[in-house]
Amino acid sequence: MNYTARPGIVTAQLCGMNVLIPSRITGDACKTILPLTLMGAIVWTGIQKDYPIEKVLEAFRIFSKKPDEEFIEKIDSFCEKLYQKGFIIPKEAPTVEVSPS
Amino acid sequence: MKHLIDVTFAGLTFPCALRYPETARYFPAPDPAASRVEGESVCLTEKDWQFYLDTDMEDCAHTEFSLLTAAFSDALMDHDRMILHSVALRWRDKAYLIAARSGAGKSTQARCLQELRPGEFGIICGDRPILEFRHSERSEESVPIPVAAHSVRHAAIACHSERSEESASPSCSAGNLPARSPVPKPSPLGKVSPQATDEVIVHPSPWNGKENWYGAEAAPLAGLILLERGDENRLAALSPREAAIRTYAQLIQLCSDSAKIKKAAELTTRLLNSVPIWQLTTFQVPDSTKLLLESVF
């Protein structure tokens, strides 16, 4: 997965729902509380634990028999939503060391 | 150097370390009968101060008093108590909370209730009451539960359609409610099995808002009203899930500790599972207040 969870996001249980709650650390970058569906919780866990996409897809397949393309579309869409709301940030690109010539 | 005082909230006395000695005047004398909480003093850390001063708050005693709400709410959570941004009313020995973001009209509703039913409503706390959670076993008898949302909305629509048949009162602008209440009060839905749940006691606090309303004694909570502005007057019953995020957003806390954030979510869940919840959408007072009176009180 190409994102990482923003520091300071807390996962909590609220009236039977899994919710993402920003702490003070997130500042203005993230201010909303987001309830997670089951699928959303799977994607969030995958981002938090830095799972490869295949592992997230494996979890999706347990709960639904839809084709992988549909899951990938849902994952992309949910990641975009999380990004827009400030819950996740793009992973830093690995630095490439250039040896002196 | 910090100035040390004792402060009593909801039956507990906390040591408190103040940046400004003048802040002490905002708090009443501690209650000698209250249980003392040992441990670190409640205070705002330098990190807390920096966080809030970065939002252009003035560095003074009054700011310290305002910000200490969050520090105390965090401390109270360890003792099954919390502070909720709301007006706490007392009606017939029970407490009702009107919770909403700032500016939504909580104080206006409280004032209207008192004007429409003089002498019936007291105010326990005008801005940030303390909620205390006490575990209790419910007996095997009917538990009042709000009517389903669809029936309340339908009654609100009936109010609008019947409006033209009623003569307008000089004090109301956009129409009257019919004399017969179209919205049934919450009624028992039959027996429920015994279950452990919470009795929530609403206590006063020194944070009484700009109107400085207070005076009524603590009382057990009987209902929570979530208020919002809208383009019609409407009252609807809410499930705990429907009310969860809006209620949580009114809980006062520092939001700096993940364990406290999770505890806050737990207490919000217990609150919403303990009492009926309504959403009052207000377009105009006193019509929306009359809807509230006829349906809830």
Side-chain angles (χ1 to χ4, degrees):
Chain A
M1 311 270 278
N2 295 327
Y3 294 98
T4 189
R6 183 181 295 281
I9 303 293
V10 176
T11 314
Q13 282 279 313
L14 182 63
C15 294
M17 301 182 289
N18 288 315
V19 292
L20 300 182
I21 302 175
S23 70
R24 202 166 74 183
I25 299 166
T26 67
D28 288 336
C30 180
K31 286 188 154 321
T32 53
I33 299 168
L34 186 70
L36 294 174
T37 59
L38 173 61
M39 296 303 191
I42 293 172
V43 175
W44 175 253
T45 303
I47 293 170
Q48 262 195 322
K49 296 187 187 293
D50 200 18
Y51 286 157
I53 188 76
E54 290 75 23
K55 194 166 173 126
V56 176
L57 286 173
E58 203 179 300
F60 269 63
R61 286 184 209 118
I62 295 170
F63 296 103
S64 174
K65 289 191 176 8
K66 291 185 179 165
D68 279 2
E69 294 76 31
E70 270 199 53
F71 290 148
I72 291 171
E73 206 177 301
K74 280 192 191 306
I75 291 169
D76 284 345
S77 160
F78 186 63
C79 284
E80 180 58 29
K81 184 178 174 183
L82 287 175
Y83 174 69
Q84 290 299 329
K85 291 185 179 294
F87 289 97
I88 59 178
I89 48 181
K91 262 191 200 164
E92 280 181 10
T95 52
V96 178
E97 283 190 29
V98 179
S99 54
S101 54
Chain B
M1 192 162 100
K2 298 278 190 180
H3 179 73
L4 297 173
I5 63 170
D6 282 342
V7 180
T8 300
F9 295 129
L12 297 174
T13 295
F14 293 87
C16 179
L18 302 175
R19 186 179 175 105
Y20 292 96
E22 308 87 78
T23 309
R25 67 186 165 93
Y26 292 105
F27 295 103
D31 180 0
S35 305
R36 186 173 179 80
V37 177
E38 299 298 343
E40 281 188 28
S41 300
V42 177
C43 67
L44 294 165
T45 64
E46 282 309 310
K47 215 171 169 179
D48 293 331
W49 270 108
Q50 206 45 61
F51 177 80
Y52 288 112
L53 293 178
D54 284 348
T55 63
D56 289 336
M57 295 184 87
E58 192 184 336
D59 193 343
C60 66
H62 189 262
T63 297
E64 181 173 37
F65 169 66
S66 296
L67 297 179
L68 277 170
T69 335
F72 272 110
S73 193
D74 271 25
L76 285 162
M77 282 187 213
D78 290 336
H79 306 275
D80 278 357
R81 291 156 170 83
M82 69 184 198
I83 297 178
L84 190 73
H85 180 217
S86 56
V87 174
L89 301 161
R90 186 180 166 118
W91 183 73
R92 295 187 186 175
D93 294 336
K94 298 283 188 194
Y96 291 82
L97 300 174
I98 302 177
R101 56 170 180 76
S102 294
K106 299 184 295 296
S107 301
T108 303
Q109 288 294 329
R111 191 178 296 117
C112 274
L113 284 167
Q114 291 181 307
E115 286 171 1
L116 291 171
R117 298 255 192 101
E120 282 195 34
F121 291 91
I123 298 191
I124 298 170
C125 182
D127 193 39
R128 300 182 178 197
I130 299 168
L131 309 188
E132 177 192 358
F133 293 80
R134 297 179 185 173
H135 283 293
S136 65
E137 295 279 340
R138 282 200 191 274
S139 59
E140 205 175 87
E141 58 187 27
S142 300
V143 176
I145 299 172
V147 295
H150 69 272
S151 66
V152 178
R153 289 195 191 98
H154 185 262
I157 293 168
C159 287
H160 286 282
S161 63
E162 290 176 8
R163 197 177 294 154
S164 57
E165 297 173 11
E166 301 283 335
S167 55
S169 149
S171 61
C172 296
S173 50
N176 293 303
L177 293 176
R180 168 179 55 82
S181 169
V183 179
K185 284 181 171 49
S187 57
L189 293 185
K191 290 187 178 181
V192 295
S193 53
Q195 53 184 319
T197 183
D198 287 290
E199 184 187 35
V200 182
I201 308 297
V202 180
H203 294 269
S205 84
W207 295 284
N208 292 309
K210 55 182 183 295
E211 293 87 4
N212 200 28
W213 286 340
Y214 65 98
E217 287 181 358
L221 184 64
L224 170 66
I225 298 139
L226 297 178
L227 181 68
E228 63 175 20
R229 290 189 186 225
D231 53 11
E232 62 171 344
N233 297 316
R234 187 161 60 95
L235 185 72
L238 294 182
S239 68
R241 271 204 182 195
E242 289 170 325
I245 290 175
R246 267 180 296 170
T247 306
Y248 180 89
Q250 299 309 319
L251 200 157
I252 305 294
Q253 54 177 322
L254 286 170
C255 277
S256 57
D257 180 287
S258 62
K260 295 282 185 178
I261 289 173
K262 292 184 189 204
K263 181 68 178 181
E266 178 212 313
L267 291 176
T268 303
T269 302
R270 287 166 66 180
L271 168 64
L272 296 175
N273 285 334
S274 67
V275 291
I277 314 151
W278 295 270
Q279 175 182 298
L280 176 64
T281 306
T282 176
F283 173 64
Q284 221 160 26
V285 291
D287 291 352
S288 57
T289 317
K290 289 179 181 177
L291 183 59
L292 185 62
L293 278 172
E294 291 186 6
S295 310
V296 176
F297 299 106

